Amino acid sequence: AQSVTQLDSHVSVSEGTPVLLRCNYSSSYSPSLFWYVQHPNKGLQLLLKYTSAATLVKGINGFEAEFKKSETSFHLTKPSAHMSDAAEYFCVVRVGTSGTYKYIFGTGTRLKVLA
Amino acid sequence: EPEVTQTPSHQVTQMGQEVILRCVPISNHLYFYWYRQILGQKVEFLVSFYNNEISEKSEIFDDQFSVERPDGSNFTLKIRSTKLEDSAMYFCACPKREVTDTQYFGPGTRLTVL
């Protein structure tokens, strides 16, 4: 079965330093992968997606992720953290066949940004 | 980003009562999904709905749950007899156009069962 594993439940970084949120996937074929962000008491916002095109994917707010098949990883990065990046981040894999698709979420990584 | 709206934003109910959560997806869309997030836990798939039929449902989606499209535009999730463990954030989502498109999520309805 397809799944994603987020390796860190909490990550703390200082403002202005790089962010790395790790995600590994399990899939028998080339997956569609996503990162969503959830700010406190807010809904889920799409950051970026990988759907078998370029392996380096750029998203909103300066985030990017690289699909590495050899490592079955899809880590999320940002060169310089901002206070507003503090939120919960979910790595997601899409599963299904034509007719219906559903999203399988990772357990989430809570990012804390220190002043 | 395409807009999916949900009402109410917060629903408080007594255990055993029925609740109806509403979603207005991207206009005229035929596909939509419901997900649930219990406080502090990950988001879980509940059900997918296409063209007035359930296409897939999870183990969570038991006989207490139902989905409908009552008026051609709104979609509803009904819980017939709520339990304490139904307290969660409920999100609806739908793809922009085709079923293969990225799913856009509504802001969620926080359900509190007392």
Side-chain angles (χ1 to χ4, degrees), chain A residues 47-100:
Chain A
L47 274 179
L48 50 80
K49 62 181 179 181
Y50 167 77
T51 53
S52 73
T55 55
L56 182 62
V57 182
K58 293 187 184 300
I60 62 170
N61 300 334
F63 284 93
E64 62 182 39
E66 186 171 9
F67 175 76
K68 291 187 176 179
K69 188 175 180 179
S70 61
E71 298 176 9
T72 62
S73 68
F74 189 57
H75 301 333
L76 181 70
T77 60
K78 182 173 180 178
S80 177
H82 191 272
M83 296 298 288
S84 60
D85 295 327
E88 185 98 22
Y89 291 79
F90 292 98
C91 182
V92 177
V93 63
R94 189 182 71 186
V95 303
T97 57
S98 60
T100 185

Side-chain angles (χ1 to χ4, degrees), chain B residues 5-45:
Chain B
T5 58
Q6 291 184 244
T7 57
S9 58
H10 193 185
Q11 174 92 45
V12 180
T13 190
Q14 295 291 325
M15 190 169 57
Q17 295 296 304
E18 175 183 283
V19 295
I20 297 176
L21 311 182
R22 292 182 170 79
C23 171
V24 181
I26 299 167
S27 57
N28 300 318
H29 218 294
L30 298 177
Y31 301 94
F32 82 105
Y33 301 78
W34 284 99
Y35 293 82
R36 178 181 82 174
Q37 184 184 30
I38 294 173
L39 185 64
Q41 298 185 23
K42 67 177 181 179
V43 179
E44 302 171 288
F45 167 78

Side-chain angles (χ1 to χ4, degrees), chain A residues 34 36 38 41-46 49 88 90 94-96 98-108, chain B residues 1 31 33 35 37 41-43 45 48 50 55-56 89 91 99-107 110:
Chain A
F34 307 80
Y36 282 82
Q38 184 180 34
N41 300 313
K42 299 289 186 183
L44 295 157
Q45 182 183 19
L46 177 69
K49 62 181 179 181
E88 185 98 22
F90 292 98
R94 189 182 71 186
V95 303
S98 60
T100 185
Y101 291 94
K102 64 183 180 185
Y103 282 11
I104 304 297
F105 282 74
T107 50
Chain B
E1 189 168 298
Y31 301 94
Y33 301 78
Y35 293 82
Q37 184 184 30
Q41 298 185 23
K42 67 177 181 179
V43 179
F45 167 78
S48 58
Y50 168 62
S55 48
E56 185 177 355
M89 194 77 155
F91 295 102
V99 67
T100 51
D101 286 346
T102 301
Q103 291 184 19
Y104 291 92
F105 287 78
R110 181 170 298 283

